[in-house]
Amino acid sequence: MAALSPHPWKTVEELETVLASAAIPSRIAQSCERLVERLRRPIRVGLIGFETRRRERLLAALLGEGILPDQTVWPTIEIAFSERPYTNATLADASTLAADGMPQAELFDREVVFLQIGAPIDALRRMTFLHVAASESAAEQSAALRWASRRIDFALWCTRDFSPVEAEIWGKAVPELKNHAYLVAFASETETDGLRNRMPPDFGRVMFLPDGKTVRGSGDADMQSGAQRLFEQLATDIDDALKEDLDSVWMLLHRHGQGIDAPKPNPEPELIPSPIAAARTPHEDVDQPSIPGSAKMVELLSEPLIFLKRWSRDLFETLEWQDADSPDWADEVLESCRMITDGLRDRAEEWPEDEGQVLALRGLVDEASDMATLLQIEGGPDQALDAAALLLQLRSVFEANLAQPQTLLN
């Protein structure tokens, strides 16, 4: 199988070195460290949907060897790299069994429902795989997808022709599954009645793996060829996604001197406590910059506050009317928050640099912009809500700094 590009991992090592020495705000450093940890761990690929037998054969082909003994009914399986093979099994009565080595045939006389396997297979060094066992019942599929969503980074919905029933199940799946998703069709493109044109937009790609076989051990050459193409495409897309995340983190570090140890003349203040700060740094007390209301503040903040209010209004309407089943609302909120905070940063660059209190407020805007970018990199509904709270925090700070006996703004 193809391997993931080695270049991003050298960059991750360099990034860790910079984070260890860079004079950057603690929350930015902590967020970067969380991203480095995510970049370090293998990408979790999930095989979900219908076509159980073909999914089993596809997983074996992706790994280049058999996983379970022949004629075994597969439970849900999670397989990751390990120098020494091991097997952990969860049984129907909730008891567990652990053993060295790969699973043996006698294990499956015990009603195994979930199997965790460690194996010294090279393909597992940068990807782990989850095969979700579920019937074609809509209720069972939906429950299985909710459980699997926390264990998958890239979802592969496997199908023959993506029937209306499948489309309905997928449409109701949690948004987390749809961040990176392929539609894998076990058919040629001409056999699927225009699948490419009718698949939902939340699938990033459709992969056609022509194979009419349903029995493990048959049609191996076709499946191996299709698995090779699928693995190479996954490797390419994963590398691209990781490089984008790394580029964003490097951009943030560049704004803070790329690890220069010398202290800055005007150190940037931490953001004031907020729902975000409380969740991420519960023991850290941070003071809000306090700048008395003045004509200077009115001159500096009036237009940025109008900009913030105008664009935030549309964003909060998106939050209010968001469809919990839609995969797009969180991405839209995160993109809007990043755009708004970047716009405020651009305006703050024109503020005077010889007044300490103005510099403190400018530092607050800079850090908010960095945090919005990091939240967008992480992605997801929770991060979208954090980003919205960040905008509310900025608005509160701006309004507090404009407060005076005869204010020009309501």
Side-chain angles (χ1 to χ4, degrees):
M1 287 296 168
L4 292 181
S5 167
H7 302 299
W9 314 123
K10 182 175 185 296
T11 307
V12 170
E13 293 172 358
E14 295 169 349
L15 181 58
E16 288 177 317
T17 301
V18 171
L19 287 173
S21 60
I24 58 178
S26 61
R27 284 193 184 86
I28 300 300
Q30 290 163 6
S31 293
C32 289
E33 287 164 3
R34 285 197 303 273
L35 283 167
V36 168
E37 183 179 355
R38 191 181 76 181
L39 293 168
R40 278 287 188 189
R41 66 166 172 76
I43 299 300
R44 304 169 301 176
V45 178
L47 284 73
I48 56 180
F50 291 5
E51 299 296 328
T52 300
R53 291 300 191 197
R54 289 187 175 93
R55 281 195 287 126
E56 294 169 359
R57 293 178 53 242
L58 175 59
L59 180 52
L62 285 166
L63 298 178
E65 59 184 82
I67 304 169
L68 300 186
D70 290 340
Q71 309 305 318
T72 300
V73 176
W74 284 29
T76 293
I77 296 173
E78 188 174 64
I79 183 165
F81 182 82
S82 176
E83 294 287 355
R84 299 183 62 180
Y86 68 82
T87 299
N88 293 329
T90 301
L91 308 184
D93 62 3
S95 62
T96 59
L97 298 173
D100 293 332
M102 298 294 285
Q104 301 300 309
E106 56 268 21
L107 174 63
F108 298 94
D109 297 330
R110 304 288 297 274
E111 293 188 87
V112 178
V113 295
F114 180 44
L115 196 60
Q116 291 176 297
I117 301 171
I121 299 174
D122 283 342
L124 296 170
R125 291 183 182 274
R126 289 307 310 161
M127 295 185 205
T128 67
F129 290 92
L130 177 68
H131 164 84
V132 179
S135 73
E136 296 185 4
S137 157
E140 187 173 335
Q141 281 283 335
S142 295
L145 294 181
R146 284 194 299 273
W147 173 85
S149 64
R150 298 181 180 274
R151 312 177 83 99
I152 291 177
D153 299 313
F154 269 72
L156 309 181
W157 181 277
C158 299
T159 184
R160 177 69 181 176
D161 59 4
F162 201 60
S163 68
V165 173
E166 293 175 87
E168 183 177 359
I169 293 170
W170 177 254
K172 294 179 179 179
V174 296
E176 291 85 347
L177 274 179
K178 302 177 182 181
N179 289 335
H180 299 286
Y182 288 4
L183 188 58
V184 178
F186 295 111
S188 67
E189 186 164 0
T190 58
E191 295 175 307
T192 57
D193 190 27
L195 177 58
R196 189 184 298 275
N197 295 327
R198 60 183 172 83
M199 72 177 187
D202 39 42
F203 285 114
R205 294 187 184 278
V206 57
M207 298 289 293
F208 294 97
L209 309 182
D211 174 36
K213 306 296 184 180
T214 58
V215 179
R216 281 171 292 185
S218 61
D220 286 340
D222 289 341
M223 186 60 79
Q224 287 287 350
S225 174
Q228 177 71 29
R229 288 191 294 108
L230 175 60
F231 193 95
E232 289 173 353
Q233 188 62 67
L234 274 170
T236 297
D237 288 346
I238 287 170
D239 274 346
D240 287 346
L242 295 177
K243 287 174 182 176
E244 287 178 5
D245 287 354
L246 280 167
D247 287 346
S248 297
V249 176
W250 277 117
M251 175 191 70
L252 298 181
L253 291 177
H254 178 72
R255 291 174 179 169
H256 294 279
Q258 290 192 2
I260 298 173
D261 292 329
K264 299 180 180 179
N266 295 286
E268 295 175 353
E270 294 285 1
L271 287 170
I272 63 173
S274 70
I276 306 170
R280 300 184 184 279
T281 53
H283 304 297
E284 189 174 356
D285 294 327
V286 183
D287 293 330
Q288 171 182 346
S290 176
I291 306 176
S294 66
K296 172 66 74 175
M297 289 298 101
V298 171
E299 178 184 349
L300 291 180
L301 298 184
S302 293
E303 192 280 332
L305 181 57
I306 292 171
F307 168 82
L308 175 58
K309 285 182 174 181
R310 182 176 68 246
W311 287 100
S312 296
R313 186 181 304 114
D314 293 339
L315 181 145
F316 284 106
E317 286 180 0
T318 300
L319 279 174
E320 183 176 358
W321 294 100
Q322 60 91 3
D323 180 357
D325 292 329
S326 169
D328 300 328
W329 74 269
D331 290 343
E332 291 174 4
V333 169
L334 288 165
E335 172 62 20
S336 295
C337 288
R338 184 199 58 76
M339 181 275 293
I340 293 168
T341 54
D342 282 356
L344 294 174
R345 184 198 288 269
D346 292 341
R347 287 161 170 78
E349 287 179 354
E350 304 298 323
W351 294 353
E353 298 183 358
D354 56 352
E355 299 182 22
Q357 292 177 325
V358 174
L359 282 173
L361 191 59
R362 181 175 176 176
L364 184 75
V365 171
D366 286 345
E367 188 176 341
S369 178
D370 290 347
M371 185 63 72
T373 300
L374 287 166
L375 289 169
Q376 186 179 32
I377 294 171
E378 293 182 41
D382 290 343
Q383 286 71 20
L385 294 176
D386 280 354
L390 184 66
L391 292 185
L392 287 174
Q393 181 186 3
L394 277 176
R395 175 173 171 170
S396 175
V397 172
F398 278 23
E399 290 176 338
N401 283 286
L402 279 168
Q404 55 184 348
Q406 294 182 339
T407 182
L408 298 182
L409 293 176
N410 292 326

